[in-house]
């Protein structure tokens, strides 16, 4: 099997694992190929892959459907709590900050519960709700359709939304980190939203757990070496040692700091 086809197969599987289901047309747009190519790719999958085709889309088999967001946010609790505490320690009372989507960013929001008078600009409804318990905070959300079950806002409207504000800090995650440090997402709209909030913030904080190193996703964003501070739960495998070295101390392994 050709290497491009193998890589595309891996990406399709990861995208479906992330989203639960996706149409053939959306996959074709995302991967930059024709719908006919995607349909041929889908023929490679077997029942053992845990995917099934249904009415112009591919989805997880019933026994592998994605768990609700709250349950996913409950995975790796120790690591995410440690990441959240380290990142939150950099945020003072009265700060203005962007918070992006994802369960690790939500962990940071929960760790900020002792802060007061924050201005929070976010497309992460769960993060907004966590920070709404402190009535001195100001919380700004975009309009549009809420994506369920993740409870977040995505799309070009969110890119424009972040473009209307400036912040002292930007807190965000990523779907994957490539071997060369490239930050990967599952859709270009997510890349553009992250790049916009990062450019509009004085200090960028990338919050990820070590499982994101080496994880594939089709849309290329910035590079981890462009980030002001990376907070991770623990060090990735030896293959990423040169990349970690290139960060010149701008990465903190939260579980080692406890």
């Amino acid at each position: 099997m050709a290497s491009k086809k193998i890589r595309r197969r891996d990406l399709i599987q990861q995208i479906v694992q992330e989203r639960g289901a996706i149409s053939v047309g959306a996959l074709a747009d995302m991967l930059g190929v024709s719908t006919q190519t995607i349909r041929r790719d889908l023929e490679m999958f077997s029942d053992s892959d845990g995917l099934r085709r249904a009415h112009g889309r591919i989805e997880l088999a019933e026994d592998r459907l994605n768990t609700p967001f709250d349950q996913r946010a409950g995975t790796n609790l120790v690591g995410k709590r440690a990441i959240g505490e380290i990142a939150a320690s950099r945020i003072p009372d009265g700060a203005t900050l962007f918070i992006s989507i994802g369960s690790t960013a939500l962990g940071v929001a929960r760790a900020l519960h002792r802060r007061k008078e924050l201005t929070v600009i976010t497309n992460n409804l769960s993060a907004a709700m966590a920070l709404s318990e402190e009535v001195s905070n100001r919380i700004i959300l975009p309009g549009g359709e809420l994506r369920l079950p993740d409870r977040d806002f995505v799309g070009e409207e969110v890119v424009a939304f972040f473009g209307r504000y400036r912040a002292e800090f930007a807190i965000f995650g990523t779907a994957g980190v490539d071997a060369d440090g490239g930050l990967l997402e599952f859709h270009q709209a997510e890349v553009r939203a992250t790049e916009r909030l990062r450019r509009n913030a004085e200090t960028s904080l990338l919050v990820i757990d070590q499982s994101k190193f080496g994880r594939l996703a089709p849309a290329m964003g910035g590079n981890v070496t462009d980030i002001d501070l990376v907070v991770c739960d623990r060090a990735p495998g030896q293959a990423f040692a040169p990349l970690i070295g290139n960060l010149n101390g701008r990465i903190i392994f939260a579980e080692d700091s406890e």
Side-chain angles (χ1 to χ4, degrees):
M1 193 183 298
S3 59
K4 284 186 179 179
K5 188 177 292 187
I6 293 172
R7 178 174 171 81
R8 206 164 52 239
R9 172 196 165 104
D10 291 343
L11 289 173
I12 289 170
Q13 192 150 26
Q14 289 193 14
I15 291 167
V16 179
Q17 290 284 349
E18 181 82 7
R19 297 180 176 228
I22 190 169
S23 71
V24 169
L27 268 176
D29 290 343
M30 191 177 291
L31 300 179
V33 296
S34 68
T35 55
Q36 290 82 1
T37 296
I38 293 295
R39 289 191 181 97
R40 287 194 295 270
D41 288 342
L42 297 185
E43 292 173 359
M44 298 185 296
F45 291 100
S46 64
D47 292 342
S48 63
D49 293 310
L51 307 181
R52 67 180 183 185
R53 296 177 64 176
H55 306 296
R57 67 177 186 167
I58 184 168
E59 60 189 25
L60 285 174
E62 189 170 352
D63 62 345
R64 301 196 187 187
L65 287 172
N66 204 1
T67 55
F69 179 80
D70 286 342
Q71 292 183 34
R72 283 186 280 129
T75 62
N76 190 18
L77 284 174
V78 172
K80 288 178 180 176
R81 187 177 298 116
I83 292 168
E85 292 294 338
I86 291 291
S89 71
R90 304 298 176 109
I91 311 296
D93 286 346
T96 299
L97 60 149
F98 295 123
I99 299 180
S100 189
I101 63 176
S103 60
T104 309
L106 172 58
V108 180
R110 288 171 172 165
L112 287 167
H113 68 278
R114 298 186 188 90
R115 300 293 183 273
K116 298 182 182 299
E117 298 182 345
L118 299 175
T119 297
V120 181
I121 303 151
T122 184
N123 58 333
N124 187 331
L125 182 60
S126 295
M129 294 302 294
L131 288 163
S132 69
E133 296 177 8
E134 172 52 58
V135 296
S136 69
N137 291 338
R138 180 188 182 203
I139 299 172
I140 304 172
L141 292 163
E145 182 176 352
L146 188 68
R147 182 173 64 167
L148 299 173
D150 299 78
R151 296 197 295 275
D152 57 30
F153 299 90
V154 295
E156 294 305 320
E157 298 90 346
V158 173
V159 180
F161 165 74
F162 283 129
R164 293 194 291 270
Y165 297 95
R166 298 292 184 271
E168 295 163 87
F169 302 93
I171 298 168
F172 55 94
T174 192
V177 181
D178 210 346
D180 64 357
L183 301 179
L184 308 176
E185 295 292 354
F186 283 98
H187 200 282
Q188 273 295 328
E190 295 170 350
V191 170
R192 288 191 287 273
T194 298
E195 286 301 294
R196 183 62 60 87
L197 65 86
R198 186 176 71 84
R199 289 198 307 268
N200 286 8
E202 294 176 6
T203 302
S204 55
L205 281 78
L206 175 66
V207 290
I208 53 174
D209 66 62
Q210 62 86 25
S211 69
K212 299 299 177 68
F213 286 92
R215 186 187 187 205
L216 292 175
M220 175 68 79
N223 194 282
V224 70
T225 57
D226 298 326
I227 307 303
D228 295 313
L229 181 65
V230 181
V231 185
C232 188
D233 55 347
R234 57 188 185 275
Q238 189 62 31
F240 286 91
L243 179 62
I244 299 303
N246 288 339
L247 290 172
N248 296 319
R250 287 181 288 116
I251 184 167
I252 296 174
F253 297 114
E255 291 185 9
D256 294 340
S257 302
E258 291 182 331

